[in-house]
Amino acid sequence: MPQEQQRYRERPSRLPGAVVWTWDAPDHPPHKPRSVLPDGCMDLIWTGGRIVVAGPDTHAFQVEPHNRASCAAIRLAPGTAPVLLGVPAHELRDHRADLTDLWPSAAVRRLTDRIDRAPDPAAALERFALDRIADTGPPDPRTVAVAEGLRRGGTVAATAAEAGLGARQLHRRSLAAFGYGPKMLARILRLQRALELIRTGLPYAEAACTAGCTDQAHLAREMRDLAGTTLGAYFAPEAGEAADAAANSETPHPSGSRTTA
């Protein structure tokens, strides 16, 4: 297993659809930035005594080497974070925000102190998420149904009909829950589905069609638009430690997976 993957660990969370992950920064950080690919999720990241919210991405997010500090985090399924945070997802689209930008500083300070003192920060962050969802209630079942329908490869029209939503209702709910419209979420989930298939050894063309693209050229265009790279570059040997992982680490940008390339 590549050293990069050894520093990244994840496990399923007790919160439905979520993943708890940790990243141990190396003593000598790599020289190249890493690209975090959009996946429809949002992350709560504890690092360096602060909590950062990674909003939903519409394109690859560059993580510079000097920002890859050790951290613990929980990756929340599409539609979950806005309920937990009380903030519409579209307000955090393509953005990394300190939790103090969203919540009262005193409340954030108490939470951060609790996680700082915990023997297992990742478990403490997960406990917070579980307690918070218990108070707020789960995401809207129709929102969950939309995300699941699109993840399975359903069309936007069919997914809206199954969820009992009109086109305008679906778009409005999607902006609040996912950060963008259903067509963008469908594209992102389709790309992630194709990449997962390629990791299993499926040829590009077959993975493209199985995932729902019209052909390999369609997948290649989506890869350039959403990931900012090509399939060949993403799966090149030097990127192998990232391409082989279903999700990878992300540390916050100072101004403010997930799979990386």
Side-chain angles (χ1 to χ4, degrees), residues 150-163:
L150 295 177
R151 184 180 291 107
R152 293 195 307 265
T155 65
V156 171
T159 300
E162 290 176 3

Side-chain angles (χ1 to χ4, degrees), residues 191 194-195 198 204 216 219-220 223-224 229-236:
L191 175 62
L195 296 179
I198 293 172
Y204 291 170
Q216 182 176 333
L219 174 58
M223 191 69 180
R224 287 194 298 270
T229 188
T230 64
L231 290 167
Y234 181 75
F235 286 105

Side-chain angles (χ1 to χ4, degrees), residues 6-78:
Q6 291 176 350
R7 295 185 177 277
Y8 172 81
R9 294 179 295 276
E10 70 172 39
R11 63 171 174 81
S13 172
R14 289 175 290 159
L15 184 65
V19 172
V20 176
W21 59 268
T22 59
W23 163 259
D24 297 325
D27 295 331
H28 303 288
H31 298 294
K32 295 182 179 180
R34 305 299 295 275
S35 295
V36 181
L37 271 58
D39 59 4
C41 299
M42 293 176 62
D43 294 56
L44 294 181
I45 306 170
W46 170 87
T47 182
R50 57 193 287 250
I51 299 174
V52 172
V53 180
D57 293 326
T58 60
H59 53 76
F61 180 79
Q62 296 295 317
V63 183
E64 298 298 332
H66 61 274
N67 292 324
R68 291 172 66 83
S70 296
C71 57
I74 182 167
R75 182 178 305 119
L76 301 166

Side-chain angles (χ1 to χ4, degrees), residues 34-166:
R34 305 299 295 275
S35 295
V36 181
L37 271 58
D39 59 4
C41 299
M42 293 176 62
D43 294 56
L44 294 181
I45 306 170
W46 170 87
T47 182
R50 57 193 287 250
I51 299 174
V52 172
V53 180
D57 293 326
T58 60
H59 53 76
F61 180 79
Q62 296 295 317
V63 183
E64 298 298 332
H66 61 274
N67 292 324
R68 291 172 66 83
S70 296
C71 57
I74 182 167
R75 182 178 305 119
L76 301 166
T80 303
V83 175
L84 188 150
L85 296 172
V87 178
H90 65 81
E91 293 187 7
L92 296 168
R93 183 174 54 233
D94 293 324
H95 187 56
R96 273 52 181 165
D98 197 295
L99 189 57
T100 55
D101 296 335
L102 310 177
W103 283 9
S105 57
V108 176
R109 184 167 58 252
R110 289 193 296 270
L111 174 60
T112 304
D113 289 345
R114 188 198 319 166
I115 297 175
D116 287 347
R117 295 194 303 268
D120 184 346
L125 192 60
E126 179 186 31
R127 181 71 263 169
F128 157 72
L130 287 165
D131 291 344
R132 178 70 178 172
I133 286 293
D135 290 339
T136 63
D140 185 337
R142 283 178 292 185
T143 297
V144 175
V146 167
E148 183 56 32
L150 295 177
R151 184 180 291 107
R152 293 195 307 265
T155 65
V156 171
T159 300
E162 290 176 3
L165 296 171

